[in-house]
Amino acid sequence: MSILIKPIITEKATTNSELNNCFTFQVKTKANKVEIKKAVEAAYGVSVEKVRTINVRPDRSTKFTKTGIQHGKTNAVKKAIVQLADGEVIDLYTNM
């Protein structure tokens, strides 16, 4: 099973990739920075300089319905911001 789940393609992530050569991925919650670096280098054939990780907490919500109070939450995810070496690039749009 791969450590990389999917690339995150938002306006902020796209701007960061164009200006700073940093790409954002959703990764498994148990993965560490060394494993993420090896997975990106193996999957895309690039050299990684730096990896930053973010643990995103789950959002909790409460709904008041006819049958009572319903509680819910989203899943916790982990994001990795990967900075590539100068001259390296990942084309996320043709690999889909």
Side-chain angles (χ1 to χ4, degrees), residues 19-61:
L19 298 178
N20 302 327
N21 207 20
C22 295
F23 295 87
T24 307
F25 296 94
Q26 182 178 346
V27 296
K28 293 197 174 192
T29 56
K30 300 290 183 181
N32 59 28
K33 292 182 181 186
V34 177
E35 293 173 342
I36 294 168
K37 180 179 178 178
K38 288 180 182 177
V40 171
E41 288 176 346
Y44 295 102
V46 294
S47 60
V48 175
E49 282 186 358
K50 187 185 213 181
V51 176
R52 293 175 288 170
T53 58
I54 304 166
N55 285 312
V56 180
R57 65 175 170 77
D59 291 329
R60 299 182 186 278
S61 64

Side-chain angles (χ1 to χ4, degrees), residues 2-96:
S2 178
I3 292 173
L4 302 175
I5 296 174
K6 64 180 181 179
I8 296 174
I9 301 173
T10 59
E11 187 175 351
K12 187 175 183 178
T14 305
T15 304
N16 200 14
S17 67
E18 291 173 355
L19 298 178
N20 302 327
N21 207 20
C22 295
F23 295 87
T24 307
F25 296 94
Q26 182 178 346
V27 296
K28 293 197 174 192
T29 56
K30 300 290 183 181
N32 59 28
K33 292 182 181 186
V34 177
E35 293 173 342
I36 294 168
K37 180 179 178 178
K38 288 180 182 177
V40 171
E41 288 176 346
Y44 295 102
V46 294
S47 60
V48 175
E49 282 186 358
K50 187 185 213 181
V51 176
R52 293 175 288 170
T53 58
I54 304 166
N55 285 312
V56 180
R57 65 175 170 77
D59 291 329
R60 299 182 186 278
S61 64
T62 303
K63 297 175 186 168
F64 300 96
T65 63
K66 290 182 193 177
T67 59
I69 299 173
Q70 301 292 321
H71 299 286
K73 72 176 188 72
T74 60
N75 293 332
V77 295
K78 187 171 192 175
K79 295 179 186 179
I81 301 172
V82 178
Q83 184 172 1
L84 302 181
D86 291 335
E88 300 280 340
V89 70
I90 296 175
D91 191 10
L92 297 174
Y93 300 105
T94 58
N95 292 340
M96 289 181 175

